[in-house]
Amino acid sequence: MANVTLRNVRKTYPGGFEAIKGVNVDVADGQFCVLVGPSGCGKSTLLRMVAGLETVTGGEIDIGGRIVNQIEPADRDIAMVFQNYALYPHMSVFNNMAYGLRNRGMKEAEVKTRVDEAARVLELTAMLERKPRQLSGGQRQRVAMGRAIVRQPKVFLFDEPLSNLDAKLRIAMRVEIRKLQRRLSTTSIYVTHDQLEAMTLADILVVMNGGRVEQVGNPLAIYEKPATTFVASFIGAPPMNLMSIRSDEIKSQLSGSASEAGILGIRPEDFVITDQTPAGGVALPLTVEAIERVGAETFVYGSRAQDEQRIAATPGELPPGEVIVRIPGTESPAIGAKIRVAVVRNKLHLFSGDGRTRIEA
Amino acid sequence: MVEDEGIRRYVAHAILWIGIAIVAFPVYIAIVASTQDNALIANGQMSLLPGGHFFEVYYQTIFVGTSGSTREPVGNMMLNSLVMALLIAVGKIAISIISAYAIVYFRFPFRMPIFWIIFITLMLPVEVRIYPTYKIVADLHMLDSYAGLALPLIASATATLLFRQFFMTVPDELLEASRIDGAGPLRFFWDTLLPLSRTNMAALFVILFILGWNQYLWPLLITTRDDMQTIQVGIRKMITTTDALTEWPIVMATAVLAMLPPVFVVVVMQKLFVRGLVETEK
């Protein structure tokens, strides 16, 4: 049981590339912390620094009140679950889980008790004598988890543990991991690029981009009040619609400090198709370009009347001027139809022109 | 179409049978000749069917040797060859797996230059560096010894390269998992890398054992005592006799005996070989 504190942690590679540019995170004892961000944002590097697999070139990593910068991975009292599981292919499931315990000189009877207990929890008892190659992806994943829990470490580290599983299994394992962590109440740090995984697992969510922390906090708080346009577009699916406030059409509808903001963000689910404009809210006329019906809900891809520059915070997103609207699955406007969507005042997200600061209206 | 298929199959089989005959016939002749009476062979009246002298010829070959002045039991030659081939094969595997481990997993000064130096020795087989190598072995008083037979042939760039390539395909996470599991460099090598290299080692052993067994020039140079002679050198010496009839049954029996250990190694190791190819352990 331990808290993990990162103080101004930096990582500069010998070539001069700065992967981590000063990160401060505080994970309290028993909390589940998720590091999320696009690939290359440094989240895995940061996790590996906590594990001791990468050297720390600046700042301090504190696990349970002990600065571990110079301590070997084996002595940090952590356990890690790797993306490709990294099971020892030539060892049976039992030996895979027992290896770390035996290396620490634990008595064979105690090893057996612990492995059997972990196997029972993870429903691996029938497979203890099998080799990893005889297991399915989900079973291998559970063995990797088992190898971590038998150690009873202070901290669990997960490096995208579910990304090699198919979609259905991923959801099932996600729930399993959460339940397991709750029961053991072991401090955990979990890296993922999947914002849904991040939202559902985290007690404390750390959104990273380009080696920096964009925002730290409770997942729902981050969803409701993203601090930057990056967080706004990264958290939530489909992503938040971001548009420039330069155009008179939007600017004229905003009042007070709101009209001083540079970028307006509206979540797809906050739109309502209506002819009325709520007081202080914003209304947009759209031409329906495409429709995706997924059953419970319908996504409408509409284009704005004028050629408005949509601010894309992450590349590869919607083309400029396009707006996504989420409506109930029972509704379905015709393609090419002209509709009018509106948002109430307190659902507007306002950011400065560079997208780095949130403005409270 | 069906008929056509049938004809094609017969043609294919016929070609294969011809191939087998070309390879197998000399071996058959050797076996037959080793059971005949020497006088018959010398007369050129050798039968193509096995003769009745199997046990006496092989007994004489293994335990007594030819009746010439440099007689040496082939059993002893086989022992010499076996020790040399095993030392070479095991030594090469041991040294190259350790050096490959150092080169792949450790960062030390001049790592790449050292790797390139090892690589360059590929271009310097024993035949090329035979004089300096002989000088060194002679100066170390290793002539006529197993050490002298095996040591100069043990350093192997090929095996080092092979293990290096294999180690580079082993996922880094396995090393990292070992580190977190509290295994140091030696433990990781012993507990993880060696078991994973098992099939590679078996494949190399087959190749290297046969390579060692077939050595001719080097043993010829550094062994002068008859009791240190290897079987490959021994056969050659049996054939050239100055003042007596070549004892062909014994020569042929020696040739057959010389074939047995490599065949044995291939047959035994083949299972490991194939298993290594079928299993994807990584």
Side-chain angles (χ1 to χ4, degrees):
Chain A
M1 303 304 106
N3 54 333
V4 177
T5 310
L6 310 182
R7 280 183 219 106
N8 203 20
V9 170
R10 287 172 187 279
K11 174 77 187 181
T12 311
Y13 282 104
F17 172 69
E18 210 180 2
I20 306 287
K21 299 166 183 164
V23 166
N24 289 292
V25 176
D26 205 337
V27 187
D29 182 24
Q31 265 191 332
F32 201 114
C33 166
V34 175
L35 306 178
V36 69
S39 43
C41 72
K43 58 191 190 297
S44 275
T45 309
L46 192 62
L47 187 80
R48 292 165 55 81
M49 286 161 78
V50 176
L53 300 170
E54 299 268 358
T55 54
V56 180
T57 51
E60 281 175 350
I61 295 176
D62 179 319
I63 298 177
R66 184 171 64 139
I67 309 255
V68 295
N69 285 24
Q70 303 298 327
I71 294 175
E72 277 292 302
D75 303 324
R76 290 190 181 194
D77 212 356
I78 47 119
M80 186 156 168
V81 178
F82 292 88
Q83 181 174 0
N84 63 5
Y85 319 137
L87 302 177
Y88 308 114
H90 55 291
M91 294 185 196
S92 67
V93 168
F94 184 93
N95 287 338
N96 259 288
M97 294 202 253
Y99 188 60
L101 301 178
R102 287 179 182 150
N103 281 345
R104 285 172 171 75
M106 188 179 283
K107 295 224 166 52
E108 198 57 28
E110 170 75 4
V111 169
K112 188 158 171 24
T113 320
R114 285 215 196 173
V115 173
D116 285 345
E117 168 63 13
R120 198 184 52 76
V121 170
L122 295 164
E123 292 164 29
L124 288 168
T125 309
M127 294 152 206
L128 281 176
E129 292 314 312
R130 293 205 203 155
K131 295 277 174 66
R133 67 171 175 279
Q134 296 164 306
L135 302 178
S136 69
Q139 290 166 341
R140 286 181 204 187
Q141 216 283 328
R142 294 216 297 276
V143 177
M145 298 271 300
R147 192 167 62 178
I149 64 176
V150 291
R151 291 260 316 281
Q152 303 178 356
K154 282 184 187 157
V155 182
F156 285 141
L157 305 175
F158 299 91
D159 189 4
E160 308 211 18
L162 303 182
S163 56
N164 282 0
L165 300 178
D166 62 63
K168 213 170 167 182
L169 204 51
R170 193 150 54 209
I171 294 170
M173 283 309 294
R174 194 170 77 201
V175 178
E176 285 300 309
I177 289 181
R178 192 66 183 114
K179 279 201 262 180
L180 198 65
Q181 196 269 343
R182 280 266 158 75
R183 191 166 56 197
L184 301 171
S185 64
T186 304
T187 316
S188 302
I189 304 178
Y190 186 108
V191 161
T192 182
H193 61 264
D194 180 343
Q195 60 92 21
L196 195 64
E197 232 172 84
M199 291 291 291
T200 50
L201 283 172
D203 292 322
I204 171 170
L205 186 59
V206 179
V207 186
M208 290 186 65
N209 185 32
R212 278 197 185 84
V213 170
E214 291 272 331
Q215 193 172 0
V216 183
N218 174 287
L220 273 181
I222 290 180
Y223 177 81
E224 277 158 14
K225 289 194 188 311
T228 64
T229 51
F230 174 82
V231 177
S233 62
F234 196 81
I235 299 295
M240 184 186 281
N241 297 293
L242 295 168
M243 30 207 140
S244 162
I245 302 185
R246 279 187 317 248
S247 73
D248 291 339
E249 186 213 357
I250 292 176
K251 193 162 190 158
S252 61
Q253 298 187 49
L254 296 170
S255 56
S257 63
S259 55
E260 302 305 311
I263 297 167
L264 170 66
I266 302 167
R267 294 221 177 261
E269 54 269 38
D270 291 337
F271 281 116
V272 179
I273 300 182
T274 173
D275 287 332
Q276 280 144 30
T277 305
V282 169
L284 297 170
L286 294 178
T287 309
V288 178
E289 299 282 346
I291 288 178
E292 282 177 350
R293 308 198 64 175
V294 293
E297 57 212 15
T298 300
F299 299 111
V300 178
Y301 292 77
S303 61
R304 306 261 306 277
Q306 58 281 69
D307 187 25
E308 176 57 49
Q309 197 69 29
R310 183 183 181 279
I311 288 98
T314 46
E317 277 186 51
L318 293 168
E322 193 160 285
V323 172
I324 311 180
V325 178
R326 199 182 82 169
I327 53 175
T330 47
E331 292 177 40
S332 176
I335 290 176
K338 306 254 186 248
I339 56 171
R340 198 164 166 283
V341 292
V343 188
V344 295
R345 176 87 167 114
N346 62 2
K347 294 288 187 187
L348 299 179
H349 302 268
L350 295 162
F351 303 96
S352 62
D354 62 359
R356 303 283 322 156
T357 331
R358 181 185 176 86
I359 296 169
E360 294 299 338
Chain B
M1 270 316 271
V2 178
E3 263 174 82
D4 200 31
E5 280 293 310
I7 290 167
R8 252 192 246 172
R9 230 170 64 195
Y10 282 119
V11 171
H13 276 244
I15 291 171
L16 290 176
W17 276 110
I18 292 169
I20 290 169
I22 290 172
V23 174
F25 189 65
V27 178
Y28 175 75
I29 287 291
I31 294 168
V32 169
S34 69
T35 61
Q36 306 267 355
D37 183 55
N38 193 25
L40 265 168
I41 300 176
N43 286 343
Q45 291 177 332
M46 198 189 102
S47 154
L48 279 180
L49 294 173
H53 300 274
F54 180 83
F55 289 106
E56 54 183 273
V57 171
Y58 277 85
Y59 176 82
Q60 203 198 342
T61 310
I62 295 172
F63 297 106
V64 185
T66 55
S67 34
S69 55
T70 58
R71 64 158 52 179
E72 184 62 34
V74 172
N76 189 34
M77 294 184 198
M78 285 186 81
L79 181 72
N80 292 340
S81 279
L82 190 71
V83 171
M84 179 179 76
L86 283 177
L87 281 177
I88 291 176
V90 173
K92 266 182 192 262
I93 289 173
I95 291 216
S96 44
I97 201 168
I98 292 168
S99 54
Y101 182 54
I103 282 169
V104 175
Y105 286 98
F106 291 86
R107 303 281 164 274
F108 51 90
F110 308 113
R111 192 171 66 101
M112 282 322 276
I114 287 172
F115 172 68
W116 282 108
I117 288 169
I118 294 175
F119 191 74
I120 283 167
T121 61
L122 267 182
M123 286 176 258
L124 298 170
V126 180
E127 289 76 6
V128 178
R129 53 185 164 89
I130 202 149
Y131 176 71
T133 311
Y134 183 86
K135 176 90 172 92
I136 292 169
V137 170
D139 288 351
L140 291 174
H141 305 293
M142 290 199 296
L143 295 179
D144 279 322
S145 72
Y146 289 137
L149 276 172
L151 265 187
L153 303 174
I154 276 180
S156 173
T158 332
T160 309
L161 279 178
L162 195 128
F163 281 123
R164 175 181 176 266
Q165 290 320 108
F166 172 68
F167 288 167
M168 297 206 313
T169 67
V170 173
D172 288 342
E173 284 86 352
L174 227 46
L175 170 65
E176 292 168 352
S178 293
R179 284 181 66 190
I180 291 176
D181 271 342
L186 279 178
R187 267 242 169 93
F188 172 65
F189 181 66
W190 191 256
D191 286 349
T192 304
L193 225 40
L194 275 189
L196 287 181
S197 313
R198 220 180 52 223
T199 49
N200 280 47
M201 289 198 283
L204 261 182
F205 181 83
V206 172
I207 297 164
L208 296 177
F209 179 84
I210 293 171
L211 179 102
W213 182 264
N214 287 343
Q215 283 299 321
Y216 177 71
L217 181 62
W218 182 250
L220 183 68
L221 270 180
I222 76 143
T223 54
T224 48
R225 268 166 41 206
D226 287 334
D227 65 340
M228 284 305 294
Q229 206 165 268
T230 63
I231 194 163
Q232 314 294 354
V233 177
I235 294 179
R236 182 81 191 93
K237 279 194 183 163
M238 284 178 194
I239 297 171
T240 42
T241 45
T242 42
D243 51 357
L245 209 57
T246 305
E247 291 169 83
W248 284 112
I250 292 182
V251 174
M252 288 302 164
T254 312
V256 171
L257 289 172
M259 267 188 293
L260 289 181
V263 169
F264 179 76
V265 165
V266 169
V267 169
V268 170
M269 300 298 253
Q270 209 171 25
K271 278 184 191 160
L272 254 181
F273 228 22
V274 174
R275 212 184 336 151
L277 294 177
V278 177
E279 280 175 15
T280 45
E281 282 196 305
K282 238 173 273 169

